[in-house]
Amino acid sequence: MRTHVIPDTIPEDQDDPRHWDAVNRRLKDILLYLESLSEKKDAEILALREQLQQCRQAGEGTHQLINKLLNDIDNYRKDIEWYQRTYEQRSLPGTIWQKLFRRKRN
C-alpha cells in the first residue's frame, strides 16, 4: 500500500475538479486501507477467541480430571481404612500381629 502525505496548506487550485478527484482518490485509498486493517484485526480477534475457547475447554477438562483423581484418592483411603479395620484390628491374625509388635516395642 502506498503512503500519501497530506499537505499542510490548501492548494490554490481548490476549485479545480481534478483537485477534488485526487482528494477523493486519496480518501478512497485511505478507506480501503482502513477496511483491510479492520478485516485483519477482526480475523485476529476471531482466532484469539477460538484459542481462548480451546483453553477454557482444556482447563475444564483438567479440572474434571483433578476432581476425579481426588475422588479416587479418597476412595482408596477409605478402602485402606476398611482393610485395616477388617484385617488388622478385628481379625484374630490382626489381633495377634498387633500384640506381637506391641510387645517388641515395650
Side-chain angles (χ1 to χ4, degrees):
M1 187 87 201
R2 61 179 195 227
T3 59
H4 297 283
V5 177
I6 299 174
D8 292 337
T9 60
I10 299 173
E12 295 173 4
D13 59 348
Q14 66 182 353
D15 292 333
D16 185 12
R18 288 179 291 162
H19 169 73
W20 292 111
D21 289 340
V23 170
N24 283 333
R25 280 194 305 269
R26 284 185 181 175
L27 289 175
K28 285 179 185 177
D29 288 344
I30 292 171
L31 179 63
L32 289 173
Y33 176 71
L34 291 176
E35 286 175 349
S36 70
L37 281 179
S38 175
E39 289 172 1
K40 287 178 186 178
K41 295 296 180 187
D42 289 343
E44 285 183 40
I45 289 170
L46 287 175
L48 290 173
R49 283 184 179 165
E50 288 177 17
Q51 281 182 332
L52 179 62
Q53 185 64 24
Q54 290 173 354
C55 290
R56 283 182 180 159
Q57 288 175 349
E60 289 173 11
T62 303
H63 184 70
Q64 289 175 358
L65 179 62
I66 289 172
N67 284 339
K68 180 192 175 299
L69 292 173
L70 289 173
N71 286 334
D72 288 349
I73 290 171
D74 190 45
N75 289 336
Y76 289 137
R77 281 188 183 147
K78 288 177 183 176
D79 290 346
I80 290 170
E81 289 171 4
W82 175 84
Y83 177 82
Q84 287 175 338
R85 282 192 318 267
T86 302
Y87 292 103
E88 292 177 3
Q89 296 172 0
R90 293 184 187 165
S91 69
L92 180 62
T95 304
I96 293 171
W97 182 79
Q98 282 181 337
K99 288 185 179 187
L100 288 175
F101 284 110
R102 277 191 203 153
R103 286 186 185 163
K104 287 185 179 178
R105 288 182 188 162
N106 291 333

